[in-house]
Amino acid sequence: MPTSRSYRDSCGIARALDVVGERWALLVVRELLLAPQRFSELRHALPNVSSNVLADRLRELEHNGVIRRGPAPADGPRVYELSERGRRLEPILTALGDWGIAVPEPPAPSALSATSVLIFLRGAARPDPAAPPTTCRLELGGRVWTVRLAAGRAEVQPGEPARAAVSLRTEPKTLSALLNDPGALATACADGSVAVVGDPAAVDRLLHAVTDPWSPGD
C-alpha cells in the first residue's frame, strides 16, 4: 500500500522528503528524466525493486503531482511521465549524482540503467566544438536513443534518429566502461558485447566526448 508517513516537520527539506523521500521514489524520477516509460520499462530499469513497491511509488508520485499518466502509444499501455513540478527535480538529482560519485560502488551484482549512463554522458560530454555535428544511434538494453554531438555538448533524445553517422548496440555497463576507456572498443567488438555499424570516426568522437571519464567503481 502507498505510504502516508510524514516527518511532521515544517522545514521545506522535510516537506520535500515527505513527497520523494521514500525508497525508490527518486530513482523512478531519474528514469523519467529523459523519456516517458511504461511500467514494464521502469521495472526493467530498476530490477531490484518489486512490482508492488514500484506500483506504490508510482501511485504516490502521481498523487503528489510529481508524475502523471501520459497518452498511450499505439502499441502498448499508457506511459508515466514527469509533470512540470517533477521536472524541477532534475538539477537536484544531477547534484546528488555528482555528490554520489565519491561513494563506493555496491557489491556485485549491481544495476546500471541506460538512463543513468545517458544522463552522465549528456552532462559530462565535451566534444570538440570545432568538429562537425555528429548524430549517433545508441541501442541500450533493447531501447533506441539518439545522441547528437554538436557545439561542445551532447543532446540525448529517445527514439530512432532520422539519419545517423554510426549505430552502436550494447548494454549500459559496457557503454559506461567504454566512456571510461575508449581503447577497449576493439576487444568489446571482438567478444560480441558491442556491435558497431557506420563511421569509425563518429564512434570515436562519441566515446572520447567525455574528457573526464568516470566509472561506477570510482
Side-chain angles (χ1 to χ4, degrees):
M1 294 292 293
T3 182
S4 59
R5 291 181 295 186
S6 170
Y7 287 104
R8 297 187 180 276
D9 186 318
S10 294
C11 169
I13 296 171
R15 285 184 285 160
L17 291 174
D18 283 345
V19 175
V20 295
E22 287 294 325
R23 187 167 175 81
W24 298 104
L26 283 177
L27 295 188
V28 170
V29 174
R30 179 198 71 191
E31 289 305 310
L32 298 178
L33 285 176
L34 297 183
Q37 297 202 45
R38 302 182 181 100
F39 183 93
S40 59
E41 292 169 330
L42 290 167
R43 187 72 180 81
H44 177 76
L46 302 169
N48 295 314
V49 65
S50 71
S51 294
N52 287 342
V53 170
L54 177 58
D56 285 348
R57 294 297 89 84
L58 289 168
R59 282 193 290 268
E60 293 161 5
L61 291 169
E62 186 175 10
H63 174 75
N64 287 296
V66 178
I67 67 173
R68 61 192 173 209
R69 304 285 184 97
D75 60 345
R78 297 181 71 180
V79 296
Y80 293 93
E81 63 185 13
L82 291 178
S83 66
E84 290 304 312
R85 186 184 185 204
R87 191 150 295 284
R88 288 166 59 190
L89 288 165
E90 182 167 358
I92 298 169
L93 284 175
T94 300
L96 192 61
D98 291 342
W99 184 86
I101 286 176
V103 177
E105 187 183 1
S110 61
L112 185 67
S113 73
T115 300
S116 298
V117 179
L118 292 171
I119 288 172
F120 167 72
L121 174 62
R122 185 184 64 175
R126 301 292 183 269
D128 182 1
T134 302
T135 299
C136 307
R137 178 188 186 274
L138 289 185
E139 185 176 343
L140 298 177
R143 187 166 186 174
V144 176
W145 303 84
T146 297
V147 177
R148 187 171 186 269
L149 306 173
R153 61 193 296 267
E155 299 175 356
V156 178
Q157 298 290 335
E160 294 276 358
R163 180 179 297 178
V166 69
S167 177
L168 187 150
R169 176 173 51 81
T170 188
E171 293 300 317
K173 282 199 171 185
T174 303
L175 178 59
S176 176
L178 290 174
L179 291 171
N180 188 60
D181 180 16
L185 177 62
T187 300
C189 289
D191 66 22
S193 57
V194 174
V196 176
V197 177
D199 184 2
V203 74
D204 184 71
R205 187 178 182 216
L206 172 68
L207 297 182
H208 285 87
V210 177
T211 56
D212 184 16
W214 161 81
S215 70
D218 282 351

